[in-house]
Amino acid sequence: MTVFSVINPATEEVVRSVASTSAEETDAAIARAQAAFPAWRAVTPGDRAKLLRRFAAAVDADIENLAQLEVTNSGHTIGNARWEAGNVRDVLNYYSAAPERLFGKQIPVPGGVNMTFAEPLGVVGVIVPWNFPMPIAGWGFAPALAAGNTVVLKPAELTPLTAIRLGELAREAGIPEDVFQVLPGKGSVVGQRFVDHPAVRKIVFTGSTEVGKQIMAGCAAQVKRVTLELGGKNANIVFADSDLEKAAATAPYGVFDNAGQDCCARSLILVQASVYDRFMELLEPAVKGVVVGDPGSDKTEMGPLISAQHKQKVSSYLSDDAPVAFRGTAPEGSGFWFPPTVVTPPNLQDPLASDEIFGPVVAVVPFAEEADAVNMANHTEYGLSGSIWTRDVGRALRVSRGVEAGNLSVNSHSSVRYWAPFGGFKQSGLGRELGPDAVDAFTETKNVFISTED
């Protein structure tokens, strides 16, 4: 049996060793999920809804344990981790209403009655990243289970502990063991079998654009359905007419949350030239005020990066002559710490302004007019999220329509609300998660015609 170690990114200590699922074990798990599918889809809608609500209640009762696990599993601050566990509960409750609302349609046609049914797909493979292990898992498995599918879930190798615990809570709540299975292991083994195995009818993947392209290509061989939530280089556009003090005070929390390891991070701040200098004056104390430290403390606002390898990658963007405007502080010693950092690249072609660094580094670039801001926000291959700061409602609507991104907030940095669809434009992804229509992505539409002619 092969095992891998889970490392606490704040201390570099080994938290636990976890058995790595082999290709053969993955195939066996998929076979069990396939065998469990007919019975699960046959569970009455009301009873499936009750099981999902019981799962949500089990998560709710375990929130503090899940949060503490995430602190050591991922280095998330305890406040964030509690919110993330609560999000799993809320998403399960939200989709517990779906089994009784999987409506078809009666379509007027000549000569008979035509109706549609929303049929579950079968086995769904959910591949979860390391940056938000709990909520992103829930965004996949909750609507999939609600629609009557069985689920095999692969957590990231770096952060499997909370997913394993969620699997245990599902069983405690009465979800049959083979209906929801958690398979820790390598992406090249477990994830690849999800892609290659014909019994897996859909893949839900969140991660890098590069890996997402590989998964999409693999799914194409079987015309396998896929939802992809990929990278982002998101703009925070600050107009001169905005509440500049609030825009500057909140900007650090739009990018440095989870140490910038967030595909929705506003890591490119575009500021109207006429207020650029004043914005930078306001931004500096806000950045230096970000509390970086022990993720287990309620006062901490930013924890460590996930691993030594990732810290090295983030550091590679900041050579000795990098245009660093100012930095916050971070602990020294053990742990993968990196200070909040503000840079001022000369143009948008600079990697600091165009690459998804996925760390606590934000680039600030001036723009002249509204049209320039839109063009600059659209300069990347990504289109996931972003913010617009203005008091002008007309401008807010014009810019929102002009920016090529799936999730935009005006005078806010909120990206994800489970009541609303989430996903990206361009190379930030394919399909949508969350919201009232997410269950549709886990069903096929079946059309049935019944002749009424003699």
Side-chain angles (χ1 to χ4, degrees):
M1 180 177 65
T2 304
V3 299
F4 59 92
S5 297
V6 178
I7 306 296
N8 184 331
T11 64
E12 302 184 47
E13 297 174 350
V14 175
V15 178
R16 190 187 304 177
S17 292
V18 175
S20 185
T21 308
S22 67
E24 293 75 19
E25 290 167 331
T26 303
D27 285 350
I30 293 169
R32 292 194 300 272
Q34 186 179 25
F37 171 61
W40 178 244
R41 72 175 295 182
V43 172
T44 64
D47 286 342
R48 200 183 314 140
K50 288 177 185 177
L51 286 168
L52 291 174
R53 288 194 289 271
R54 286 173 58 182
F55 189 1
V59 172
D60 187 55
D62 204 56
I63 278 181
E64 189 62 26
N65 176 53
L66 284 165
Q68 295 292 343
L69 263 183
E70 202 66 275
V71 169
T72 56
N73 189 50
S74 308
H76 288 194
T77 63
I78 184 63
N80 279 6
R82 288 176 181 135
W83 179 90
E84 290 157 18
N87 183 260
V88 177
R89 171 204 60 211
D90 294 343
V91 169
L92 279 165
N93 272 325
Y94 183 77
Y95 288 110
S96 71
E100 294 170 293
R101 292 164 176 79
L102 283 175
F103 303 130
K105 295 178 181 179
Q106 184 272 316
I107 302 170
V109 296
V113 176
N114 200 92
M115 66 191 80
T116 63
F117 297 90
E119 303 283 11
L121 303 172
V123 182
V124 172
V126 179
I127 303 174
V128 181
W130 51 258
N131 60 328
F132 290 103
M134 281 194 284
I136 291 177
W139 302 350
F141 68 66
L145 292 172
N149 302 281
T150 55
V151 173
V152 285
L153 183 145
K154 193 203 88 66
E157 291 172 75
L158 293 169
T159 56
L161 301 185
T162 45
I164 292 170
R165 180 59 183 154
L166 287 171
E168 294 169 351
L169 292 171
R171 290 195 293 277
E172 291 175 14
I175 305 290
E177 183 174 4
D178 294 337
V179 166
F180 178 47
Q181 301 175 72
V182 177
L183 309 177
K186 291 185 176 181
S188 59
V189 178
V190 181
Q192 192 62 49
R193 288 308 297 147
F194 287 3
V195 172
D196 294 340
H197 201 298
V200 177
R201 299 295 177 85
K202 179 181 173 75
I203 299 292
V204 178
F205 171 79
T206 300
S208 72
T209 297
E210 179 185 5
V211 176
K213 289 177 180 178
Q214 296 170 6
I215 288 174
M216 190 172 179
C219 290
Q222 299 174 27
V223 196
K224 183 175 297 190
R225 300 177 72 162
V226 61
T227 296
L228 303 173
E229 196 272 281
L230 308 176
K233 185 68 174 181
N234 311 291
N236 175 12
I237 306 173
V238 181
F239 286 96
D241 71 340
S242 67
D243 182 340
L244 210 60
E245 286 74 16
K246 185 175 181 181
T250 58
Y253 303 97
V255 64
F256 300 140
D257 184 60
N258 199 27
Q261 300 167 130
D262 181 355
C263 49
C264 291
R266 277 71 165 157
S267 56
L268 174 64
I269 304 178
L270 302 175
V271 183
Q272 197 151 23
S274 60
V275 294
Y276 178 87
D277 290 341
R278 177 59 180 155
F279 180 84
M280 292 296 281
E281 290 174 1
L282 294 166
L283 181 63
E284 184 169 4
V287 169
K288 292 184 176 179
V290 175
V291 180
V292 184
D294 175 11
S297 169
D298 287 325
K299 297 179 180 179
T300 298
E301 296 176 314
M302 186 182 115
L305 294 173
I306 189 63
S307 67
Q309 181 182 12
H310 190 58
K311 180 181 177 181
Q312 183 178 13
K313 180 202 168 194
V314 174
S315 300
S316 70
Y317 280 92
L318 296 171
S319 58
D320 293 339
D321 60 348
V324 176
F326 42 84
R327 278 181 157 143
T329 59
E332 298 180 355
S334 297
F336 310 122
W337 303 100
F338 200 97
T341 302
V342 177
V343 295
T344 53
N347 54 59
L348 295 183
Q349 286 65 51
D350 190 298
L352 290 167
S354 60
D355 287 8
E356 185 184 33
I357 298 173
F358 221 62
V361 179
V362 63
V364 188
V365 180
F367 69 88
E369 302 298 337
E370 180 180 309
D372 301 313
V374 172
N375 290 334
M376 293 167 75
N378 291 339
H379 86 287
T380 76
E381 64 188 9
Y382 301 113
L384 185 57
S385 195
S387 297
I388 301 158
W389 288 81
T390 180
R391 288 186 170 98
D392 184 332
V393 175
R395 168 175 282 157
L397 289 171
R398 288 193 304 271
V399 175
S400 295
R401 296 300 301 271
V403 172
E404 298 168 344
N407 310 273
L408 293 168
S409 296
V410 177
N411 300 328
S412 165
H413 295 303
S414 171
S415 285
V416 180
R417 293 160 293 276
Y418 62 82
W419 309 275
F422 175 73
F425 284 25
K426 300 187 286 188
Q427 294 193 35
S428 283
L430 184 70
R432 293 294 181 269
E433 297 180 291
L434 300 176
D437 300 328
V439 177
D440 295 344
F442 295 95
T443 64
E444 292 279 16
T445 298
K446 179 179 288 182
N447 188 69
V448 177
F449 170 77
I450 302 175
S451 174
T452 56
E453 294 181 352
D454 292 336

